[in-house]
Amino acid sequence: MAKITLDNVTKNWGETQVLKPMNLAIENGEFVAILGPSGCGKSTTLFLLAGLYAPSAGEIAFDGHNVNRIDARDRNVGIVFQSYALYPNLTVRENIAFPLRFKTMGKEEVVRRVEEAANLVQISALLDRRPSQLSGGQQQRVALARALVKEPNILLLDEPLSNLDATLRITMRAELKSIQRRLGFTTLIVTHDQIEAITMADRIICMNNGEIAQIGTPDDLYRCPNNLFVAGFIGTPPMNLLKGEADGRCLQIANASFDLDAECAGAVTFGLRPEDIALVSPEAAQLQGEVVTVEPMGREVFYTIDTPAGLIHALEYGEAVRHAPGAKVGISCKSDLTLVFDACGNRIADLHADFSNHAEVSARVLEPAN
Amino acid sequence: MSNFQIRPHRPARPLLYLAPAIALLAVFFLAPIVVNTVIAFTDMGANLRVGEFTFKNFERIVQRDARLPMVLLTTLIYVTATLFIFNVGLGALLAMTSTAIPERLGNFFRGLWLLPRMSPAVLYGILWIWIADPSPSGLLNQVTGTLGLPPINLRNDFPLFLVILANGVVGASFAMVILTSSVRSIPSHLANAARVDGASEWGVLRHVVAPALSQPIRFITIYQALSLMTTYEYILLITGGGPVYDSTPYALYIYRRAFENGAYAYGAALALGLMVIGIAFTLLQWRITNMRSTFAAPKIEVL
């Protein structure tokens, strides 16, 4: 268990800087996800922490001790690789016991620890098999047991679930999380799957192009994305992002205009989550449109709507398809759920557009009269 | 109206397709074995005349050939030393070192090591003769000369050492090429996992690289043992098997008996012995490397 700090850490491969100066502090026992698209530098960060790569500049510290010059084998870090990386010539038992070979430890202690780790990930029955005789899910459990057996300071998971099928992924997600809670290792998971990050991690580090786009709780990233990258990356289906022009308290998007609740000027991008949209009767909303496509997805229905502001995606809960293609609908949304980003792609704090349901507004206005 | 033309299904004739290959095998592999076996039971000499059919040659091998025990010992030393020190040992070392350095340098290095295999055997032989030349102008003696040592006559005093060295330097390239691809096919995350698990670079070599090389090394050992037992051209070129018979392994011994002494029938009988050893080794290879598992079912249906 250790607190991890990164101080202006960079990594260059030749001329290209794959990791821009990175500052980060991860608390003892925290479960953190590094989330980002392929090539954003998330695995590089993980390998830097493991000691498999040396940073080009900056300082990596565990519990305040600089580990820059400490080899991978002396860092007491456990890794689960994406491909599991089990030793093909060793049995499951030998695989799990492998990290203990390099520690001075009695035979009984090794046996005890291996069995403990195997029990923890429920593979006690497989100890005498070889990796080639195991399924993907079982191999993954072996890899996890091997990482846990040496009681690491830090547990690093490199896309551990991406090779599993969908149902197994959900089981392993829950199991990983509960094991982490029980043992309390500082854990970093690298993933490109936002569901994995959101469901498992206490905090998410969202990365793009070798730098941190935002660090925060899953809810922070979802509700208050700092920039367009995070806004577009978090959430499925992705947020509606519409380019427009702000002038004073007026927001012009294509052929539609909206009221802003604060002054603003210049080119902006307006963001609206499909799941925050309520489809109402056309006259009840500021923005009207025509349903173009309807995609029932079981638990919800996904609509694409052609509006004067451009194509807008909306998600409506429930199985019933309430609007047919060609239907006229009004688009409404709670104003405080709308986001506005400036020309550089950064979110403008406390600026929202009025997308309210006129019917509700008038009802609310009428209320005091009652 | 359908556009299909119905054509009668003609059965394929596998024998027809295989005929060229079978003919080649029969003429160049099977026929010589048959001819050799027949000659082994005659008294054929340099005049190529067959006087009688006899078991004399085999009697001579077993009872009267005083050189044979020495030749067999030479063969054993020559094959095992070349095989383990160079063809496997040096080959593996070259594969591991040339994959650990930057790729371009490694490729260059391996290309360099392959040159003698590509150059004519005679040229390679002449180079070694020049290196080992007993006069002070020989390459080795130029080096020892500058160190103030007396000239060495490798071909005369250490002939077996010389042929092992000359064969080994060429022979190592086979294992080098095969093992290089084995080393390359080890996934990098396996070595990384071992490092994180606490292994030193030596530990990575021992626990990750070595296990991956064991299967190809088994194959190389048997294959190269077979090839070392049956080839002799470098030895013939560099020492001629001499002085006397000091650097003559079994295969060269057959050659020298048959073509230097003109005892064709005796040479044929000796060759039969080599063939038996060869077959034994091939069967051993079949068993040890589990070659059947590398067979795959055909992807097309012929019949």
Side-chain angles (χ1 to χ4, degrees), chain B residues 135-201:
Chain B
S135 73
S137 56
L139 183 67
L140 182 71
N141 285 337
Q142 287 185 31
V143 176
T144 56
T146 56
L147 297 172
L149 299 168
I152 305 168
N153 188 349
L154 270 185
R155 282 165 66 201
N156 213 37
D157 301 339
F158 308 99
L160 200 52
F161 171 76
L162 181 62
V163 298
I164 288 171
L165 193 65
N167 264 285
V169 169
V170 185
S173 59
F174 181 79
M176 176 187 76
V177 169
I178 292 188
L179 296 179
T180 295
S181 69
S182 304
V183 171
R184 287 236 176 100
S185 68
I186 301 171
S188 65
H189 51 70
L190 220 51
N192 280 339
R195 286 186 192 113
V196 169
D197 283 345
S200 58
E201 288 310 302

Side-chain angles (χ1 to χ4, degrees), chain A residues 29-42:
Chain A
E30 205 176 3
F31 197 149
V32 173
I34 305 182
L35 176 67
S38 336
C40 71
K42 55 191 193 301

Side-chain angles (χ1 to χ4, degrees), chain A residues 296-317:
Chain A
M297 307 203 295
R299 191 181 36 173
E300 63 237 343
V301 184
F302 187 59
Y303 296 96
T304 306
I305 300 151
D306 190 13
T307 72
L311 284 181
I312 288 182
H313 300 290
L315 206 56
E316 223 178 38
Y317 287 92

Side-chain angles (χ1 to χ4, degrees), chain A residues 61-347:
Chain A
F62 291 173
D63 279 336
H65 302 291
N66 185 332
V67 294
N68 278 15
R69 302 191 66 89
I70 295 180
D71 283 340
R73 61 183 170 132
D74 297 321
R75 288 200 188 181
N76 198 24
V77 162
I79 295 200
V80 176
F81 289 89
Q82 182 173 8
S83 53
Y84 316 136
L86 301 179
Y87 310 112
N89 52 312
L90 304 181
T91 62
V92 168
R93 190 190 303 277
E94 290 163 336
N95 260 286
I96 299 175
F98 190 80
L100 304 181
R101 279 189 196 207
F102 306 99
K103 301 191 172 201
T104 42
M105 194 177 282
K107 266 197 176 148
E108 299 83 44
E109 170 79 354
V110 171
V111 171
R112 189 184 62 75
R113 285 235 215 157
V114 168
E115 278 171 7
E116 226 174 68
N119 274 334
L120 192 69
V121 296
Q122 301 166 30
I123 48 163
S124 307
L126 309 173
L127 284 175
D128 294 314
R129 298 216 195 150
R130 286 191 188 273
S132 56
Q133 298 168 304
L134 303 180
S135 69
Q138 290 168 332
Q139 289 189 36
Q140 212 244 2
R141 285 164 191 268
V142 178
L144 185 59
R146 185 180 64 185
L148 294 173
V149 77
K150 59 178 166 182
E151 294 172 359
N153 289 328
I154 298 167
L155 181 61
L156 303 174
L157 310 166
D158 188 9
E159 308 248 8
L161 307 178
S162 59
N163 286 344
L164 302 179
D165 63 57
T167 42
L168 200 53
R169 207 176 297 171
I170 294 172
T171 325
M172 281 312 289
R173 222 154 66 190
E175 247 174 78
L176 266 176
K177 192 169 176 173
S178 90
I179 288 173
Q180 197 271 341
R181 287 265 181 284
R182 249 183 299 159
L183 304 180
F185 297 124
T186 307
T187 304
L188 242 93
I189 180 169
V190 156
T191 177
H192 63 265
D193 182 350
Q194 48 172 307
I195 308 287
E196 250 170 68
I198 287 171
T199 52
M200 291 165 78
D202 303 322
R203 268 199 310 162
I204 297 176
I205 299 164
C206 192
M207 287 185 70
N208 184 33
N209 275 333
E211 55 190 340
I212 296 176
Q214 188 171 357
I215 305 180
T217 62
D219 201 49
D220 284 343
L221 266 62
Y222 179 76
R223 274 298 154 212
C224 308
N226 280 348
N227 48 52
L228 273 178
F229 172 76
V230 179
F233 193 72
I234 305 277
T236 36
M239 186 185 276
N240 292 298
L241 293 168
L242 307 167
K243 286 202 186 309
E245 195 77 35
D247 185 16
R249 282 183 171 262
C250 176
L251 171 64
Q252 186 74 34
I253 304 171
N255 299 321
S257 63
F258 306 93
D259 295 335
L260 288 171
D261 59 3
E263 297 271 334
C264 181
V268 294
T269 304
F270 172 72
L272 185 61
R273 291 211 179 270
E275 56 271 36
D276 292 337
I277 293 175
L279 296 178
V280 295
S281 63
E283 54 281 0
Q286 184 83 17
L287 183 65
Q288 294 84 29
E290 188 186 310
V291 175
V292 185
T293 57
V294 178
E295 297 164 56
M297 307 203 295
R299 191 181 36 173
E300 63 237 343
V301 184
F302 187 59
Y303 296 96
T304 306
I305 300 151
D306 190 13
T307 72
L311 284 181
I312 288 182
H313 300 290
L315 206 56
E316 223 178 38
Y317 287 92
E319 291 163 41
V321 175
R322 299 203 347 247
H323 313 278
K328 294 263 186 258
V329 291
I331 291 165
S332 90
C333 174
K334 283 195 183 111
S335 294
D336 53 355
L337 298 180
T338 63
L339 303 170
V340 183
F341 300 88
D342 66 16
C344 303
N346 295 319
R347 183 167 58 88

